[in-house]
């Protein structure tokens, strides 16, 4: 195990190095350590890692090693790593940690982080943690919990530096000096009035350039993107991407400033959503930790595997209807999977494009008819081209004109069906509030398999 | 067409509204416009859109409407929209624009944007544009072109505000006042020495709090992540994500500061990479514009469709070997696609996990053996479970014990094969510098189809 960790730390050093080329001192230290190989050294090396790097290391380790390292970390360090790791890995770590240690870790988190993590912690831990909070913190924790996982309220931070409209530039600079340091992404500073109603923002640059006595109200910019806590996170992520935002105020419907949405939270959200989509399209529910215990992984994949089995079974029932036809010309059995496979393949191309279009709001009622017509034409074009090709191949191989014609026609028709299903299935799932990435492919394959068999064997019975 | 645009603008208004809730004035204007329906109005509405919103609108319009609106835009506005649109849509717009107008548009871009766009512009346009540049700009353009598309040098901006180490806080504030405004994400300011060697950074906050006479060298932070122009963009993106960066200096190997990598460029990169992966897994080369002309789309999908046809054809050749067995028991023809389908399905789950693991550097030599063992066990477990289930189903349906046993065994073995292939194919593609998302799935399906037919029919011949 120690060797694995060594190797990972060494690989990791490359990235670390890339990111901190400047810090030659640290580089020398790490290179120095690289040649020794004992647990005490590793422990020392882990201690100097950035929490995000530690999280990466935990994500890259098989379960046993992951737990060994995890058990060995200081509670404060472990708390920071826990905030950084991937949700599925977090789950595995929390499950492996005794309640008492989790409570200790929680004590090292501020109430913002705690609120963010609350969903993932066992209720018993949360109950013990809440006891040590003051009233304001408890209210905050409850409020955050009330926002859904996919909302701006869930992604935002409450760690903000709001300044009063009625003060002057000099007052604010004095105030910042008193605080010592601003939170990350604190530029621009948000301006509120006495009742904590959001008024606008002042950039540090404006503050820097303003004469000391300038009233804050005079340098406040009022045209700013704001979000409501119950705005959907994907829409907010698109706004961040589109307007290149770094930090945006979150405001209640009565105008009170309650938080801040920052670009780091949005980047994580985009990354995780993209990952989830890719895994969902392949038939995995939610995320899956690459190093999850075998039993968990088997269970995670079982659902779609089962659905796939059932649909495959149902689709092949069509073959049974044509057993006599197959007995007459057994070559049909060899060729029928081609029709099904080609249909599934093109249909999945259409689905991938539709999922992207829906995610970006590019497909709407206004243009769906256009998309459908286009996909139909593409299917037809490719159907004629490739259907013709396999038709000729079969003609040459089997010296059977009508077999070639039947195969060609079935491929052509199945490509057209795949185009229609590939457009409509994601659309329907989306309209009924479901994730089109989850399940669209299985449904499509069911249709293209069934129709592939039915068309090919049906045409064969009619024409041969 | 006008109605479609109206509808899109209205949908879009929701997002716009979400992003600019504060700007009630603009909201009223848009609502006011919503009720009229003529081209002049639309033109006026388009003129007030943020370039990113205009880009979104262009991406959401069928080709004909897209070109109508595009032809109608002012060159300056069109230039900004061209920088914002999706690469595939950009291609379609550039192809539809006469050289003369492209040159006009290019004249509205600064040399940074031009350098960034250079790859996409036709050589004839570039030649005419270069004539109007001064020598420094020409050098810059040539340098940027020399960095590969996937490199930090290609993503970075040269628009930076470097300050001299030898000045004082008051000098810098005076300097910023002279410039009027800093570029976006200019915090922290980068510090260089007389020879333009990068020395560190000064945050606006530090500048704000420092007494006027403070030498810049005293408030410079030296431990900062830097990148080299030829660092790979994905590694830089991971560093941004991991360390929550907003802006990082790009430095040559001799230490000269040449540019700045900013979070907006990184967010775009992450988003596009994730999209490309999702489309590639479904068998689409590169991006595809949902509204591309039929002919382009058909061509874009043809490659993998052709590969799929060939592999499906080859895989089904195995069926031909067992024609006599099928003639004896025609039920085999109905059941064999199930074995192939289940194998392809689970194999693709493994591939999706591997692609993610490889993209995040979580799979390495150090732990690949662990991953393989785990996937094998998952395959075995699910094989026993679901193989057993279909075995029993067949036993009940066909009242044929040995047919059930053959199907069960074939499903079990094919799931194990799928696990091995699902781990190794992405690994091999990755090791030989290829994108595992592109092609892994087709290769896998070829193996699981072939093996599915061979195992099931082979076992049937042996045992029945």
């Amino acid at each position: 195990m120690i060797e694995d960790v060594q190797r990972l730390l060494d690989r990791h050093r490359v990235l670390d190095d890339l990111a901190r080329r400047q810090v030659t001192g640290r580089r020398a230290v790490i290179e120095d350590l690289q040649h020794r190989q004992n647990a005490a050294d590793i422990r020392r090396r882990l201690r100097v890692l950035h929490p995000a790097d530690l999280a990466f290391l935990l994500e890259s380790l098989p379960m046993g090693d992951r737990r060994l390292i995890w058990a060995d970390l200081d509670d404060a360090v472990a708390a920071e790593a826990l905030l950084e790791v991937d949700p599925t890995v977090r789950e595995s770590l929390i499950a492996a940690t005794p309640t008492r240690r989790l409570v200790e870790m929680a004590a090292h988190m501020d109430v913002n982080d705690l609120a963010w993590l609350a969903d993932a912690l066992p209720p018993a831990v949360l109950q013990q943690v809440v006891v040590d909070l003051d009233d304001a913190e408890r209210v905050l924790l409850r409020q955050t919990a009330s926002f859904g996982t996919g909302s701006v309220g869930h992604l935002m931070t409450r760690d903000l530096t709001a300044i009063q409209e009625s003060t002057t530039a000099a007052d604010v600079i004095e105030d910042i000096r008193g605080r010592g340091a601003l939170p990350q992404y604190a530029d621009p500073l948000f301006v509120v009035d006495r009742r904590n109603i959001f008024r606008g923002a002042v950039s540090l640059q404006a503050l820097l350039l303003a004469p000391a006595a300038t009233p804050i109200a005079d340098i406040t910019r009022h045209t700013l993107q704001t979000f409501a806590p119950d705005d959907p996170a994907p829409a907010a992520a698109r706004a961040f991407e589109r307007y290149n935002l770094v930090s945006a105020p979150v405001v209640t419907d009565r105008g009170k400033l309650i938080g801040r949405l920052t670009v780091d939270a949005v980047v994580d959200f985009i990354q995780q959503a993209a990952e989830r989509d890719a895994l969902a399209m392949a038939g995995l529910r939610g995320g899956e930790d690459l190093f999850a215990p075998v039993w968990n992984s088997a269970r995670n994949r079982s659902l779609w595997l089962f659905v796939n089995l059932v649909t495959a079974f149902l689709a092949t029932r069509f073959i049974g209807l044509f057993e006599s036809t197959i007995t007459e010309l057994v070559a049909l059995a060899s060729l029928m999977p081609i029709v099904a496979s080609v249909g599934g393949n093109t249909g999945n191309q259409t689905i991938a494009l539709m999922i992207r279009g829906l995610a970006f709001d590019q497909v709407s009622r206004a243009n769906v008819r256009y998309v459908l017509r286009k996909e139909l034409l593409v299917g037809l074009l490719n159907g004629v081209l490739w259907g013709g090709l396999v038709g000729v191949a079969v003609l040459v191989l089997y010296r059977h004109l009508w077999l070639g014609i039947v195969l060609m026609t079935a491929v052509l028709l199945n490509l057209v069906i795949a185009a229609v299903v590939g457009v409509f299935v994601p659309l329907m799932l989306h309209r009924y509030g479901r994730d089109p990435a989850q399940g669209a492919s299985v449904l499509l394959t069911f249709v293209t398999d069934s129709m592939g068999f039915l068309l090919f064997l049906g045409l064969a019975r009619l024409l041969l």
Side-chain angles (χ1 to χ4, degrees), chain A residues 212-273:
Chain A
T214 314
I216 286 300
D218 287 4
I219 51 174
T220 300
R221 197 157 43 95
H222 296 285
T223 56
L224 212 68
Q225 282 93 14
T226 65
F227 296 94
D230 48 2
D231 281 339
R238 280 196 298 269
F240 263 71
E241 208 188 337
R242 205 177 281 173
Y243 309 117
N244 299 339
L245 308 179
V246 169
S247 159
V250 181
V251 171
T252 64
D253 49 5
R254 282 190 292 166
K256 283 202 194 297
L257 177 67
I258 57 164
R260 209 157 54 97
L261 192 59
T262 56
V263 69
D264 58 330
V266 171
V267 168
D268 284 352
F269 178 81
I270 290 177
Q271 184 69 58
Q272 278 171 20

Side-chain angles (χ1 to χ4, degrees), chain A residues 60 137 301 331 343 354:
Chain A
S60 309
E137 289 176 327
R301 301 190 205 169
M354 284 294 293

Side-chain angles (χ1 to χ4, degrees), chain A residues 328-405:
Chain A
E328 273 172 50
L329 184 63
V330 74
L332 294 177
S334 302
L335 295 172
M336 68 189 182
I338 297 175
V339 184
S341 165
V342 167
N345 200 279
T346 31
N348 272 316
Q349 292 179 329
T350 305
I351 282 183
L353 286 170
M354 284 294 293
I355 288 176
R356 187 188 59 157
L358 288 168
F360 287 91
D361 258 344
Q362 280 168 5
V363 177
S364 62
R365 230 174 251 247
N367 57 22
V368 72
R369 222 185 319 136
Y370 176 88
V371 172
L372 181 64
R373 271 204 307 259
K374 190 204 127 185
E375 290 299 316
L376 272 176
L377 280 175
V378 172
L380 214 61
L381 203 64
N382 274 327
V384 170
L385 184 65
W386 302 114
L389 191 83
V390 286
V392 171
V394 162
L395 183 62
V396 172
L397 227 74
Y398 290 85
R399 311 208 160 277
H400 192 316
L401 176 66
W402 280 98
L403 187 59
I405 293 176

Side-chain angles (χ1 to χ4, degrees), chain A residues 78-384:
Chain A
E80 287 202 78
L82 195 63
L83 291 165
E84 294 276 352
V85 289
D86 189 271
T88 54
V89 174
R90 185 181 300 133
E91 213 178 287
S92 84
L93 290 174
I94 289 176
T97 316
T99 304
R100 239 176 83 185
R101 189 169 178 226
L102 282 175
V103 173
E104 295 289 329
M105 283 180 195
H108 288 283
M109 298 176 188
D110 70 18
V111 68
N112 276 302
D113 290 337
L114 205 57
W116 186 73
L117 206 67
D119 288 349
L121 291 173
V125 173
L126 222 51
Q127 270 170 16
Q128 288 193 49
V129 171
V130 166
V131 174
D132 292 331
L133 297 178
D134 61 35
D135 283 352
E137 289 176 327
R138 226 168 288 166
V139 168
L140 199 152
L141 199 60
R142 202 168 38 232
Q143 274 183 353
T144 307
S146 71
F147 302 125
T149 325
S151 71
V152 165
H154 202 260
L155 281 189
M156 75 180 183
T157 168
R158 297 188 181 248
D159 184 14
L160 44 77
T161 315
I163 57 180
Q164 290 291 328
E165 197 179 25
S166 53
T167 54
T168 64
D171 293 338
V172 172
I173 292 179
E174 201 46 53
D175 182 36
I176 295 176
R177 192 163 282 141
R179 286 174 204 257
L182 292 172
Q184 240 201 326
Y185 314 119
D187 191 9
L189 298 165
F190 297 147
V191 180
V192 293
D193 68 10
R194 273 166 215 288
R195 289 160 47 237
N196 197 31
I197 301 289
F198 176 74
R199 302 289 299 149
V202 169
S203 69
L204 289 184
Q205 191 194 338
L207 211 54
L208 202 63
L209 300 184
T214 314
I216 286 300
D218 287 4
I219 51 174
T220 300
R221 197 157 43 95
H222 296 285
T223 56
L224 212 68
Q225 282 93 14
T226 65
F227 296 94
D230 48 2
D231 281 339
R238 280 196 298 269
F240 263 71
E241 208 188 337
R242 205 177 281 173
Y243 309 117
N244 299 339
L245 308 179
V246 169
S247 159
V250 181
V251 171
T252 64
D253 49 5
R254 282 190 292 166
K256 283 202 194 297
L257 177 67
I258 57 164
R260 209 157 54 97
L261 192 59
T262 56
V263 69
D264 58 330
V266 171
V267 168
D268 284 352
F269 178 81
I270 290 177
Q271 184 69 58
Q272 278 171 20
E275 249 178 69
R276 229 183 2 250
D277 269 8
L279 295 182
M281 268 192 73
L284 289 161
R285 275 186 298 172
E288 185 183 309
D289 176 2
L290 201 53
F291 302 99
V294 169
W295 185 249
N296 290 12
S297 294
R299 212 175 38 200
N300 190 28
R301 301 190 205 169
S302 280
L303 174 71
W304 286 114
L305 192 56
F306 174 68
V307 174
N308 172 249
L309 258 181
V310 173
T311 57
F313 209 88
L314 290 176
T316 52
R317 288 304 84 198
F318 284 110
I319 303 174
L321 301 177
F322 298 96
E323 286 193 348
S324 60
T325 321
I326 292 175
T327 320
E328 273 172 50
L329 184 63
V330 74
L332 294 177
S334 302
L335 295 172
M336 68 189 182
I338 297 175
V339 184
S341 165
V342 167
N345 200 279
T346 31
N348 272 316
Q349 292 179 329
T350 305
I351 282 183
L353 286 170
M354 284 294 293
I355 288 176
R356 187 188 59 157
L358 288 168
F360 287 91
D361 258 344
Q362 280 168 5
V363 177
S364 62
R365 230 174 251 247
N367 57 22
V368 72
R369 222 185 319 136
Y370 176 88
V371 172
L372 181 64
R373 271 204 307 259
K374 190 204 127 185
E375 290 299 316
L376 272 176
L377 280 175
V378 172
L380 214 61
L381 203 64
N382 274 327
V384 170

